[in-house]
Amino acid sequence: MLTLFHHPLFASCRFVRLSFGEYGEELALIEERPWARREEFLSLNPAGTIPVLLAEGDQPIVGATVIAEYLDETRGALKRGKRLMAEDPVQRAEIRRLVDWYLIKADGDVTRHLVRERALKPHMTGTEGGGSPDSAAIRAARANIRQHMKYTNWLTGTRDWLAGKKLSYADLAAASALSVLDYLGEVEWHDYPAARDWYTRMKSRPAFRPILADRVRGLSPVSHYADLDF
């Protein structure tokens, strides 16, 4: 069994877990607090970022998109119709664009800031960046949620899946980001019916069950978080 260093409220880590789950592979999970900069972890990834996958031979593979490419090359090519990456180069480009949209742009605009201010700071020391939540950062992140949700609603309302006709890494990236925001109770789903229907489909997939079971110390999820009919 491969090992993943992760944090349950990092969208990039959820993306990797969902990707392996869709291929029916289990991961041994080690929860990592990257802000603590453990020496043992830094020996695997000097950048100190997660996710990090310990692959065959305990070789560290660093970063969500790098891990996804590794997974596609070692497992996905054998999955035929269930492959999470398209074979057509143009479709592959669209999948990669949307993965970047949700794991980089949405994370930088919204997710990372809300997670840090609402969930992580209470568990950080002063030298690690802990302290009282920054209300200005929270307001700015919340102001950006609507545009990302409107775009997701448009994608889900005009396509079968986010990147086209089939489930792909794009759907897993989006579901990872939105599931974090949903845990925090930051999404007004009734304003985005197409996105809500798509997210219901995603939540119903077996690979999503471990994500819905996630709990973070000191911060319970919104009441509907694990409800498939919300």
Side-chain angles (χ1 to χ4, degrees), residues 9-212:
L9 280 186
F10 281 40
S12 57
C13 298
R14 289 184 168 208
F15 169 68
V16 172
R17 291 167 61 193
L18 285 174
S19 299
F20 273 89
E22 285 293 332
Y23 285 160
E25 293 206 24
E26 294 185 7
L27 290 169
L29 299 176
I30 296 178
E31 185 172 328
E32 186 65 34
R33 297 165 42 147
W35 58 88
R37 299 189 63 79
R38 289 191 308 118
E39 289 186 11
E40 296 85 353
F41 180 67
L42 292 175
S43 69
L44 298 175
N45 176 21
T49 57
I50 51 176
V52 173
L53 178 74
L54 280 187
E56 289 81 1
D58 286 341
Q59 177 66 39
I61 300 177
V62 178
T65 56
V66 177
I67 295 171
E69 294 288 346
Y70 166 81
L71 180 60
D72 181 64
E73 291 169 0
T74 58
R75 276 83 165 168
L78 304 176
K79 293 296 183 178
R80 299 182 183 274
K82 294 184 178 180
R83 189 176 184 181
L84 295 170
M85 179 62 81
E87 295 189 13
D88 177 76
V90 174
Q91 292 178 345
R92 291 172 76 91
E94 176 65 355
I95 291 170
R96 289 186 175 112
R97 181 186 74 84
L98 289 172
V99 168
D100 280 359
W101 182 278
Y102 287 99
L103 297 189
I104 296 177
K105 180 171 175 54
D107 193 62
D109 289 347
V110 180
T111 321
R112 179 194 319 162
H113 306 290
L114 291 175
V115 169
R116 178 180 175 82
E117 300 303 326
R118 294 192 54 196
L120 302 186
K121 273 191 172 181
H123 304 294
M124 294 177 172
T125 66
T127 57
E128 292 170 341
S132 300
D134 184 338
S135 58
I138 292 175
R139 284 196 302 272
R142 285 175 171 165
N144 290 327
I145 290 176
R146 186 168 183 81
Q147 291 306 313
H148 283 283
M149 288 305 304
K150 286 174 64 177
Y151 185 49
T152 303
N153 200 62
W154 178 81
L155 287 171
T156 53
T158 57
R159 303 176 177 183
D160 295 335
W161 297 93
L162 259 66
K165 296 291 185 181
K166 293 172 49 180
L167 177 82
S168 74
Y169 278 140
D171 297 280
L172 304 188
S176 298
L178 296 186
S179 67
V180 171
L181 296 178
D182 192 45
Y183 186 102
L184 298 173
E186 295 285 354
V187 182
E188 298 290 343
W189 289 106
H190 57 81
D191 291 336
Y192 313 102
R196 177 175 176 165
D197 289 346
W198 163 84
Y199 187 60
T200 299
R201 283 191 287 158
M202 294 300 299
K203 286 176 72 172
S204 301
R205 300 186 68 82
F208 224 94
R209 290 171 189 160
I211 301 295
L212 297 179

